[in-house]
Amino acid sequence: MHRRIRPVTQAFLPVVLVAIAACTPPPQVTLDPIGFEDWKRTLASLQGRIVVVDFWATWCVPCIERFPHMVRLHHQYRNRGVTFVSISLDNRDDKQAVEEARRFLVRQKATLRNYLMNENILEAFEKLDLVGIPAVLIYDRQGRLRHRLTGDDPNRQFTEKDVEHALAALLAGQEAP
Amino acid sequence: MRASCFLPLLLAAPMVFAGKYNTVIEIGMKAPSFANLEGVDGQKRSLSDFKEDVVVLVFLANHCPWVKGGDKDLVQVVTEFKGQSVRVVGLGVNLRPDDLPPAMKKHAARVGYNFQYLHDPSQEVGRKYGATRTPEFFVLDKQRRIVYTGLLHNSPAQMRRDGSVQYTNGQPVQHYVRDAVRAVLAGKPAPVAETRAQGCTVEYAR
């Protein structure tokens, strides 16, 4: 009996696999507006976890180029007590840009927490105390800002390796409290 | 401890400059020089070549939507000061292919840049000015001290993919560069010395 079924099973296996893949819901990717005050509360609520915040925008080419790295890190570390957050600094009043940001996140399968800063863009930079993006801020489990990785200093602009090293050091508990 | 005891300590401290939004320069300091940077017209120019009372340096990048969005207003400012002792100089320091001289030439011609547009392949001029965004403006007085750095005006504009331009805060009402230039020409301090420039990040080679 097995001899008769096996060829049939083998023939249909690819079809079954494709059907399963097709029926599996795509990873949930969202882009939620968040004001600065709500962001502060959200960040505070994440105490107990290491939090990596990636500030980006569709108009920022280096941000777009680096984003896949952040998604890879998210997949690599999400089960190790690390929460990854992306905050888009696209213009909230520009529907085209917001939609482009959302589509980009979907293409990247960015299943991290994705927010759109719901502030006037100049005020957003002011409130976040950012000069430019990309910028990555890393908070420890006590909610303290431990790494501020930016391009603000021409002679010390951060790299993807800097993000990895900072995260690894925090996870290993190598840093002084 | 008497106050004079602090003096040697102060003198021994390293000279570190930093503005409110700039990690390298600060308002009032002597502007870093640059020499022999090639422009889109093929001519090489140095800061010392410019004899005007005011020099406005602006770091630009062709690829950047904030540069494209601000191009019209930049050209307008140059036009506004035509015939006065004011020189505007654009500087490109990015090394992306779409920001290199061939692309700069095309961009300058298409947009109608009415000022020198120089490229620094060493990126040194950008490092010396601590320029990390495009566009980012620096206004220099006759003694070539930096009297203003930051935005052109209070409503930076972004060019969208469809070519339309969207201002961040509607029509500009505070024209920081124009006001700084006018102040220098009148022998007065710039009313606003430093703003947080808004634009694309300049990437420096490591």
Side-chain angles (χ1 to χ4, degrees):
Chain A
M1 186 150 182
H2 280 294
R3 278 180 199 156
R4 282 167 56 194
I5 289 174
R6 189 173 293 154
V8 174
T9 308
Q10 282 175 345
F12 279 98
L13 189 60
V15 178
V16 171
L17 289 176
V18 168
I20 289 171
C23 294
T24 304
Q28 189 74 17
V29 176
T30 55
L31 176 60
D32 299 318
I34 193 167
F36 179 69
E37 292 302 322
D38 281 341
W39 163 239
K40 284 202 298 188
R41 280 190 283 274
T42 300
L43 185 59
S45 75
L46 291 171
Q47 267 195 33
R49 296 180 66 81
I50 292 171
V51 182
V52 180
V53 190
D54 180 32
F55 292 94
W56 73 288
T58 56
W59 48 261
C60 167
V61 174
C63 301
I64 296 293
E65 289 172 348
R66 290 180 182 207
F67 203 91
H69 176 252
M70 198 54 65
V71 176
R72 280 200 300 278
L73 289 181
H74 159 65
H75 288 300
Q76 190 178 338
Y77 288 104
R78 64 181 167 177
N79 295 324
R80 295 178 62 185
V82 184
T83 295
F84 283 79
V85 178
S86 84
I87 297 184
S88 164
L89 288 161
D90 279 293
N91 186 350
R92 63 174 179 180
D93 300 321
D94 184 343
K95 286 180 183 168
Q96 268 183 35
V98 173
E99 180 54 22
E100 193 181 326
R102 196 190 63 75
R103 283 202 303 264
F104 173 78
L105 292 169
V106 170
R107 280 199 305 278
Q108 294 293 321
K109 298 183 174 60
T111 51
L112 44 159
R113 287 184 184 219
N114 304 303
Y115 295 117
L116 171 76
M117 189 44 68
N118 194 14
E119 303 276 350
N120 170 284
I121 192 166
L122 295 190
E123 288 173 16
F125 273 85
E126 195 79 36
K127 288 177 179 176
L128 293 162
D129 194 22
L130 291 177
V131 170
I133 54 173
V136 175
L137 306 187
I138 304 179
Y139 297 84
D140 67 13
R141 293 186 181 90
Q142 286 73 46
R144 296 171 299 195
L145 178 61
R146 299 300 292 270
H147 295 276
R148 190 175 186 281
L149 305 172
T150 71
D152 301 352
D153 182 343
N155 298 309
R156 283 195 310 184
Q157 292 187 322
F158 81 101
T159 64
E160 293 176 347
K161 283 281 174 216
D162 292 329
V163 180
E164 290 175 20
H165 291 156
L167 194 49
L170 266 182
L171 279 166
Q174 290 170 353
E175 299 191 346
Chain B
M1 188 184 285
R2 286 162 54 185
S4 59
C5 297
F6 287 111
L7 192 58
L9 294 175
L10 288 173
L11 292 174
M15 295 290 281
V16 177
F17 294 108
K20 195 173 173 190
Y21 308 115
N22 189 309
T23 61
V24 178
I25 62 97
E26 66 179 11
I27 297 301
M29 74 178 271
K30 187 83 176 167
S33 63
F34 57 82
N36 298 317
L37 301 185
E38 189 166 326
V40 295
D41 60 358
Q43 302 294 311
K44 291 188 174 177
R45 289 186 171 79
S46 307
L47 180 59
S48 57
D49 293 339
F50 308 124
K51 306 301 180 192
E52 287 81 359
D53 287 348
V54 187
V55 172
V56 178
L57 303 177
V58 53
F59 288 83
L60 299 169
N62 307 314
H63 84 272
C64 176
W66 295 96
V67 170
K68 293 176 186 171
D71 275 339
K72 188 167 154 254
D73 291 346
L74 171 56
V75 169
Q76 172 62 34
V77 165
V78 179
T79 304
E80 186 179 333
F81 288 107
K82 200 173 175 185
Q84 300 183 62
S85 191
V86 178
R87 167 78 70 159
V88 176
V89 181
L91 294 161
V93 299
N94 270 345
L95 301 177
R96 311 181 66 84
D98 47 357
D99 287 335
L100 292 178
M104 288 170 62
K105 283 177 193 169
K106 282 184 191 166
H107 184 79
R110 187 170 62 246
V111 179
Y113 276 176
N114 47 359
F115 51 87
Q116 307 292 338
Y117 188 16
L118 315 176
H119 186 249
D120 179 11
S122 76
Q123 300 188 304
E124 275 308 303
V125 64
R127 290 182 195 274
K128 286 180 183 173
Y129 279 85
T132 56
R133 284 142 299 156
T134 57
E136 187 170 357
F137 288 82
F138 296 82
V139 178
L140 318 181
D141 67 8
K142 185 141 178 90
Q143 289 74 43
R144 298 298 179 254
R145 292 172 306 199
I146 299 169
V147 298
Y148 171 78
T149 178
L151 296 163
L152 178 64
H153 52 59
N154 73 312
S155 188
Q158 192 182 353
M159 182 173 280
R160 301 149 105 194
R161 287 203 190 281
D162 64 6
S164 62
V165 170
Q166 185 167 37
Y167 284 90
T168 304
N169 290 322
Q171 275 304 303
V173 291
Q174 288 175 283
H175 297 267
Y176 305 117
V177 169
R178 186 178 72 192
D179 293 349
V181 171
R182 284 180 177 170
V184 172
L185 290 173
K188 295 176 181 171
V192 176
E194 198 169 357
T195 55
R196 189 187 300 257
Q198 172 62 38
C200 307
T201 292
V202 178
E203 290 179 282
Y204 289 94
R206 283 174 56 125

